[in-house]
């Protein structure tokens, strides 16, 4: 039983790390697409380096702060839900311990243990730490490792910023004649990489994810560039 619990704990920990990594990849992808669309759209209206830099930095800061705030609120809500579930479980363990022991036994049986072994395991887990046992087996929560909204916020902020820097630098650093080409090529290459990475992390087919990512990014840049060009032509 110790070995099963040990493996389960490591499995849950690995799953959590993969989720964070997948979120980081997707955050970087959002930074790439949104900032690329912004700077390419502005490039359709003007080739002024300061205007491009100002627009890119504004998009980077607005996007990264928005991502961080959204992630903080989302994970804070999840953490509050986890705390509420743990508090309810603690109350139930105090008010009806025998019923909770029977419930834990049933849960272990559904995981493949025989009735006798499940009962013995439930008793041992309850004696060791009843709340932790129910939290992990019944709720899928590790009381010692609750989600941290600040970690999530910083991870989203950094991932978006890292992704957004690529199209921003690609647009403002090269000579004017090369800006658009360098930006489009570097953005599509980066999107192919993030598409491949997200597919591998999710055990999906990489070619489809890469195609979806690059086509979406190309469409975003194309639409914003045409919009910028039309606005420039109209004298807006």
């Amino acid at each position: 039983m110790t070995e099963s619990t040990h493996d389960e704990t490591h499995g849950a920990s690995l799953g959590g790390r993969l989720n964070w990594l997948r979120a980081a990849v997707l955050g970087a992808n959002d930074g790439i697409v949104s900032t690329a669309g912004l700077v390419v759209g502005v490039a359709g209206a003007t080739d002024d380096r300061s205007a491009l830099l100002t627009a890119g930095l504004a998009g980077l800061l607005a996007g990264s702060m928005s991502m961080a705030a959204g992630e903080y609120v989302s994970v804070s809500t999840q953490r509050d839900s986890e705390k509420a579930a743990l508090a309810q479980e603690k109350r139930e363990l105090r008010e009806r311990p025998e019923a909770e022991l029977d419930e834990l036994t049933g849960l272990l049986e559904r995981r493949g243990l025989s009735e006798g072994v499940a009962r013995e395991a439930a008793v041992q887990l309850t004696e060791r730490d009843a709340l932790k046992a129910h939290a992990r087996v019944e709720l899928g929560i590790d009381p010692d490792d609750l989600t941290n909204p600040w970690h999530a916020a910083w991870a989203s902020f950094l991932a978006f910023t890292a992704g957004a820097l690529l199209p921003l630098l690609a647009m403002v650093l090269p000579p004017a004649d090369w800006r658009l080409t360098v930006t489009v090529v570097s953005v599509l290459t980066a999107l192919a990489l993030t598409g491949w990475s997200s597919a591998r992390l999710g055990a999906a087919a990489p070619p489809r994810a890469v195609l979806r990512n690059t086509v979406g990014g190309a469409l975003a840049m194309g639409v914003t560039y045409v919009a910028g060009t039309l606005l420039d032509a109209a004298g807006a």
Side-chain angles (χ1 to χ4, degrees):
M1 183 61 197
T2 302
E3 183 177 350
S4 295
T5 305
H6 181 76
D7 290 343
E8 180 182 334
T9 301
H10 278 279
S13 178
L14 177 60
R17 287 196 297 271
L18 287 176
N19 285 335
W20 280 110
L21 188 55
R22 189 178 298 114
V25 170
L26 294 177
N29 190 80
D30 287 344
I32 294 169
V33 174
S34 61
T35 307
L38 178 60
V39 295
V40 168
V42 174
T46 179
D47 61 357
D48 183 67
R49 190 188 302 269
S50 62
L52 293 169
L53 180 61
T54 300
L57 283 176
L60 184 155
L61 291 173
S64 60
M65 293 301 295
S66 175
M67 287 283 291
E71 196 69 15
Y72 180 84
V73 171
S74 174
V75 176
S76 292
T77 302
Q78 179 183 343
R79 185 182 178 90
D80 290 343
S81 298
E82 291 174 344
K83 285 184 174 181
L86 289 173
Q88 179 179 348
E89 195 64 39
K90 188 175 182 178
R91 184 170 58 252
E92 291 175 352
L93 285 167
R94 183 177 61 252
E95 295 175 353
R96 47 171 199 162
E98 287 301 323
E100 290 297 299
L101 181 60
D102 291 338
E103 182 181 32
L104 183 58
T105 301
L107 290 170
L108 292 173
E109 282 187 60
R110 285 198 287 274
R111 293 194 173 195
L113 298 181
S114 65
E115 181 179 354
V117 174
R119 186 67 177 187
E120 180 182 354
V123 170
Q124 291 184 15
L125 288 171
T126 299
E127 290 175 349
R128 182 181 304 171
D129 191 327
L131 179 60
K132 184 177 291 187
H134 279 266
R136 288 179 172 175
V137 177
E138 181 181 349
L139 305 176
I141 298 173
D142 185 351
D144 299 327
D145 189 26
L146 297 180
T147 52
N148 189 315
W150 285 109
H151 291 172
W154 276 110
S156 294
F157 178 88
L158 294 174
F160 187 97
T161 299
L165 281 173
L166 174 68
L168 175 58
L169 295 176
M171 182 60 74
V172 300
L173 292 181
D177 293 341
W178 285 91
R179 286 174 187 165
L180 190 60
T181 301
V182 170
T183 301
V184 170
V185 171
S186 60
V187 165
L188 292 182
T189 301
L191 289 177
L193 179 60
T194 57
W196 180 86
S197 300
S198 62
R200 294 290 294 175
L201 290 170
R208 181 178 299 178
V210 169
L211 179 63
R212 183 169 55 235
N213 237 26
T214 52
V215 169
L219 182 62
M221 289 187 289
V223 169
T224 55
Y225 183 77
V226 170
T229 302
L230 293 175
L231 289 172
D232 180 51

